[in-house]
Amino acid sequence: MSTHINAPEGAIAPNILLPGDPLRAKFIAENFLEDAKCYNEVRGMFGFTGTYKGVPVSVQGTGMGQPSLSIYATELFKFYGVQTAIRVGTCGAVNENTKLRDTIIVNSACSDSSLLNQRFGSLHFAPTANFDLVRAADKIASGMGIRYSVGSVASSDFFYDKNENWKKWAEYGVLGIEMESAELFTLAAEFKRRAMAIMTVSDHILLGGATSAEERQTSFTNMMRLALETIVQVNA
C-alpha cells in the first residue's frame, strides 16, 4: 500500500516523468500533456496523468535528494506498476565543454550516498540507465538540433559541498553533479524496470554562472520535450 502517493488503481500511467520540483511537474502537465488530471497532492508533491501524442504519461514530483526520490520511485514501481521512468532535472556542470542550459542524457550515475552502502556493503554497484531509452533519446536530441551530451553524472547527498568532491568526479569525466539519478537507476534494476535521466545544466560549478529559480521551474523545455518524445519512441 502506498503511503505518499494518494492515487487510485489505474490512475498512474506505465510511463512517467520524475522532476524533483513538484511545480515543474505541474508545468509539464499543463503545457505538454492532454487532458491532464491531478492524482496526487500529498505533501504538496503533485502528480498528474494525461497523454502525449496519444501515449499515456504521468508526471510526479519526487523532492530533492535520493532518500526522497527513493520513496516515490519505490511506490511507483511497487504499487502502481510503472514500467518506464525518466528523471527530468537540473545539475551543476563540472566539465568545461558543457555549457549553461545544455542538455545531458545520463547513461550512468556515480554516487556518494549511503543508500548504496546499505544495500551492497563493500560491493560497488554501478547505477546505469536503460540502453534503449538512452539510444532513443540520443537519436531524438540529434534531430532536435539542441546542444547536448551523453555521459555520467554524480548523485551527491551534499548540495553545499565544502569538501569540493566534485573536483574528483570531474577528474574522472563526470559531466555534472545532481542528487537523484543513481537511486532511480538502482531501483529500476531492483524492480526490473526501465529508467534514465535527462538533465539541464542550471549552474556551472567549474566555470561559474547560474540560472534563476523561475528558469529552472518553467523554461527548461528541451529536456521535457526530449523525455516525452523518448517515451513515444520506445512505445511505438
Side-chain angles (χ1 to χ4, degrees):
M1 178 179 178
S2 175
T3 57
H4 298 86
I5 302 173
N6 185 25
E9 184 176 352
I12 301 177
N15 311 290
I16 198 162
L17 302 191
L18 300 175
D21 185 350
L23 294 181
R24 188 180 299 134
K26 186 172 185 288
F27 177 86
I28 293 170
E30 292 175 347
N31 290 275
F32 289 95
L33 301 185
E34 295 182 8
D35 301 319
K37 294 179 173 58
C38 182
Y39 63 75
N40 188 67
E41 295 182 358
V42 176
R43 294 175 177 257
M45 205 59 68
F46 296 123
F48 301 85
T49 296
T51 62
Y52 181 80
K53 295 187 175 180
V55 177
V57 179
S58 295
V59 54
Q60 173 66 56
T62 64
M64 290 187 289
Q66 294 182 83
S68 183
L69 176 133
S70 187
I71 291 169
Y72 292 96
T74 296
E75 293 183 9
L76 290 165
F77 290 148
K78 186 173 183 179
F79 302 119
Y80 292 100
V82 167
Q83 300 298 310
T84 300
I86 301 179
R87 166 162 155 69
V88 282
T90 58
C91 69
V94 293
N95 183 288
E96 63 182 11
N97 295 319
T98 304
K99 308 301 182 185
L100 203 63
R101 300 180 183 82
D102 276 6
T103 299
I104 297 175
I105 297 170
V106 180
N107 60 12
S108 64
C110 311
S111 184
D112 58 16
S113 177
S114 64
L115 290 174
L116 287 174
N117 295 335
Q118 290 186 62
R119 286 188 181 96
F120 300 104
S122 61
L123 303 178
H124 296 277
F125 180 72
T128 307
N130 176 267
F131 177 72
D132 290 338
L133 293 177
V134 172
R135 178 171 56 182
D138 178 42
K139 183 178 180 180
I140 293 165
S142 179
M144 290 172 64
I146 62 176
R147 276 187 55 92
Y148 78 98
S149 302
V150 180
S152 63
V153 297
S155 303
S156 177
D157 284 349
F158 275 114
F159 186 85
Y160 298 107
D161 180 10
K162 294 181 179 179
N163 296 325
E164 296 188 321
N165 291 329
W166 65 267
K167 292 182 178 179
K168 180 58 70 174
W169 296 124
E171 185 180 339
Y172 282 80
V174 165
L175 299 180
I177 311 297
E178 53 93 71
M179 300 185 74
E180 289 85 21
S181 296
E183 178 66 5
L184 176 61
F185 297 169
T186 302
L187 287 169
E190 178 184 352
F191 286 96
K192 308 298 188 292
R193 308 299 164 84
R194 299 189 298 190
M196 70 169 296
I198 302 174
M199 306 275 101
T200 299
V201 176
S202 59
D203 59 288
H204 212 297
I205 301 172
L206 180 64
L207 302 179
T211 57
S212 69
E214 183 177 1
E215 281 184 286
R216 292 192 296 273
Q217 182 180 307
T218 64
S219 70
F220 292 165
T221 54
N222 282 339
M223 70 173 174
M224 301 171 190
R225 185 172 291 106
L226 176 56
L228 290 164
E229 292 291 339
T230 299
I231 284 174
V232 171
Q233 179 66 38
V234 298
N235 280 276

